[in-house]
Amino acid sequence: MSKKKDDKRIIFNSEQEMPLVAMSLGSMLYNKTGAWRNIKPVIDLSKCIKCGICWKFCPDTSIDIVDEWPVVNYDYCKGCGVCAEECPEKCIVMVEEEK
Amino acid sequence: MSKERKMTITLPREELMSSGHLACQGCGATLAMRYALKALGQKTILCIPACCWSVIDGPFPHSSLDVPIYHCAFETAASSASGVRAGLDMVGDKETTVMAWAGDGGTFDIGIQALSGAAERNEDFIYACYDNEAYMNTGIQRSSATPIGAWTTTTPVKHYKKERKKDIIGIMAAHDIPYIATASIAYPEDMVKKFKKAKDIHGTRFIHIYAPCPTGWKSRPDDTVKLARLAVQTGYFPLYEVENGEKWTLNLKIKERKPITEYLKLQGRFRHLKQDEIDLIQAEVDNNYQKILKKCGL
Ligand SMILES: Cc1ncc(C[n+]2csc(CCOP(=O)(O)OP(=O)(O)O)c2C)c(N)n1
Ligand code: SF4
Ligand code: SF4
Ligand SMILES: [Mg+2]
């Protein structure tokens, strides 16, 4: 059984609302880890050879494949820079985040 | 690149680990879990003792993993997994894979008694140890998986670790369990293949995963995959399998091993080492690599 996969945070208002055993009811998607980022990856798609390497090595599952292109999900990307380091075509650059 | 061309996807597409988890930037342990679950699929139950992963997953009632997790006490990964397996057997569930998922501290040190006991009984589960070479969750204390020469908070620079890393594969192989493998987050296709293979074997299966930790190793987060790759290319962490304690197979033969300095120099935890100490570590790596080649009949 899959649990709920939306980005709602679950808050119990009373004991009665809690499950009888400690079990997870929702995902961590409510936790927008993009706020941790200092530098952000920007992909130059004109150089991309669609090798899938950035998607493969993202520790935060934050590169989606949309219409057969890699797309960074900035809601969650923590800015670790692994994708930029691993891209064989060097088409990802890490740029300073404007805050 | 043309619009029509498809992305090259070399791993199962399904993601059982979602974003929003609590790991540090560039955490290798996270990649390890992502790949392991890609291989095992949703019919999996995890037993996770105290370790970074018990935090990474997220606070109750949320979880970043789409499989059930039993959070167990630090020393009990293998005994908990034995119990979960027995429970599933009682209700006739043969389909679900049980996996103990522990850190190096929970495996090499505090959980080794439970692990050895389970392996001796040949309990039917996968035991995966993600090795970040110290007790990271509690603030970088040395474990028996910490390599010689490394700084940790309990082996400070003047008293850096003088003991060798424990040979966990040798210990597990001595139990003659059906399947043992080493895996690296820099070689995800190999890792997925090994977890899939392990899934179809019965008895105790042990997978040792090399998982860099930028926070504890004082390395750059973007070097995580590079470090894991260098560990293999230098011969520090060779990729191999041991079946039934006797059939040793090297999965990736490195023709020209890189010097260990290339690996050491990217990590602050080795910064204090002088040339003669590095030479000693190089000799140690050479020696271990030759031993493994020999066991693999090469
Ligand atoms: C019996 C017991 N002793 C100590 C602890 C404190 N503790 C929690 S996690 C941890 C370190 C775990 O290290 P490791 O297994 O290598 O996993 P990592 O945190 O590195 O991922 C320690 C010492 C505990 N939870 N239980
Ligand atoms: S910077 Fe890190 S977290 Fe962000 S998309 Fe790249 S690999 Fe993922
Ligand atoms: S301390 Fe290390 S192992 Fe733990 S979450 Fe951070 S990077 Fe990962
Ligand atoms: Mg550890």
Side-chain angles (χ1 to χ4, degrees):
Chain A
M1 189 183 70
S2 265
K3 61 177 174 289
K4 276 210 280 205
K5 274 194 239 170
D6 56 24
D7 60 0
K8 297 274 178 321
R9 185 174 195 152
I10 297 168
I11 295 169
F12 301 121
N13 292 310
S14 71
E15 243 173 75
Q16 280 73 34
E17 287 178 20
M18 304 239 309
L20 289 172
V21 290
M23 59 184 286
S24 56
L25 303 171
S27 82
M28 283 300 287
L29 289 172
Y30 76 86
N31 187 35
K32 301 275 164 70
T33 48
W36 299 16
R37 199 171 54 232
N38 291 318
I39 44 173
K40 71 170 181 185
V42 176
I43 310 180
D44 178 355
L45 290 181
S46 70
K47 290 202 266 169
C48 171
I49 56 163
K50 299 193 176 189
C51 64
I53 287 177
C54 57
W55 168 81
K56 182 163 81 177
F57 285 122
C58 177
D60 285 275
T61 331
S62 294
I63 294 185
D64 301 324
I65 300 165
V66 181
D67 296 334
E68 301 302 321
W69 292 106
V71 176
V72 177
N73 185 340
Y74 292 111
D75 278 351
Y76 300 102
C77 160
K78 291 175 185 160
C80 68
V82 167
C83 53
E85 181 64 37
E86 293 303 317
C87 169
E89 298 299 310
K90 295 280 158 243
C91 44
I92 308 181
V93 285
M94 300 302 291
V95 301
E96 204 75 33
E97 189 72 57
E98 316 108 49
K99 290 241 159 124
Chain B
M1 186 60 32
S2 76
K3 256 179 109 153
E4 292 74 40
R5 188 160 149 192
K6 289 230 178 308
M7 277 280 256
T8 311
I9 299 294
T10 52
L11 300 176
R13 191 76 183 257
E14 188 183 29
E15 299 289 359
L16 292 169
M17 184 188 87
S18 78
S19 312
H21 62 67
L22 299 178
C24 306
Q25 283 139 321
C27 170
T30 324
L31 279 172
M33 180 66 90
R34 187 176 166 218
Y35 303 145
L37 289 183
K38 276 179 180 293
L40 299 180
Q42 210 184 11
K43 278 218 158 279
T44 304
I45 294 184
L46 300 181
C47 294
I48 307 187
C51 60
C52 274
W53 248 107
S54 40
V55 177
I56 297 171
D57 176 51
F60 167 80
H62 304 88
S63 164
S64 50
L65 301 182
D66 206 1
V67 296
I69 305 170
Y70 174 39
H71 286 282
C72 55
F74 197 14
E75 58 279 54
T76 68
S79 37
S80 302
S82 306
V84 170
R85 182 69 261 167
L88 289 172
D89 288 346
M90 289 283 286
V91 296
D93 181 335
K94 300 269 166 235
E95 231 184 310
T96 305
T97 305
V98 179
M99 175 160 74
W101 181 270
D104 51 292
T107 304
F108 288 58
D109 297 338
I110 190 164
I112 196 157
Q113 178 273 129
L115 174 58
S116 174
E120 189 261 339
R121 299 189 303 273
N122 199 22
E123 296 282 351
D124 190 18
F125 62 79
I126 299 175
Y127 189 108
C129 168
Y130 69 94
D131 186 0
N132 51 22
E133 304 194 316
Y135 292 73
M136 295 310 180
N137 182 42
T138 40
I140 327 172
Q141 293 85 17
R142 63 90 94 181
S143 76
S144 57
T146 305
I148 192 164
W151 161 93
T152 65
T153 53
T154 48
T155 50
V157 166
K158 268 196 193 160
H159 309 280
Y160 65 77
K161 195 176 181 229
K162 303 287 188 322
E163 301 81 15
R164 295 188 179 95
K165 187 182 175 98
K166 195 186 265 183
D167 176 16
I168 195 74
I169 300 290
I171 293 170
M172 294 315 293
H175 288 75
D176 289 347
I177 52 175
Y179 187 67
I180 298 170
T182 63
S184 163
I185 56 135
Y187 298 85
E189 292 82 5
D190 175 76
M191 188 187 301
V192 167
K193 208 161 89 192
K194 285 169 175 170
F195 272 92
K196 284 201 161 150
K197 183 169 175 180
K199 187 183 172 181
D200 294 332
I201 296 173
H202 284 288
T204 310
R205 295 142 277 169
F206 182 82
I207 302 183
H208 182 198
I209 311 163
Y210 185 80
C213 164
T215 309
W217 296 8
K218 305 296 167 213
S219 57
R220 292 170 54 104
D222 51 351
D223 279 343
T224 289
V225 174
K226 196 203 246 172
L227 275 172
R229 191 177 297 120
L230 278 171
V232 173
Q233 291 173 339
T234 54
Y236 172 74
F237 191 89
L239 297 175
Y240 59 104
E241 292 167 297
V242 190
E243 282 158 280
N244 303 310
E246 54 180 23
K247 190 178 162 230
W248 295 62
T249 315
L250 191 70
N251 304 114
L252 187 69
K253 184 136 173 52
I254 311 291
K255 278 197 207 87
E256 266 177 61
R257 284 189 293 124
K258 291 192 171 161
I260 197 70
T261 35
E262 286 195 29
Y263 164 78
L264 300 175
K265 73 181 180 201
L266 295 175
Q267 305 168 60
R269 64 175 174 155
F270 294 118
R271 199 170 45 201
H272 53 275
L273 293 178
K274 301 195 184 56
Q275 193 53 48
D276 54 326
E277 293 158 332
I278 293 173
D279 293 343
L280 279 175
I281 293 175
Q282 181 67 62
E284 186 84 9
V285 170
D286 295 346
N287 189 24
N288 280 339
Y289 193 73
Q290 291 312 324
K291 267 200 233 163
I292 288 162
L293 284 189
K294 212 173 136 201
K295 285 179 178 160
C296 295
L298 297 164

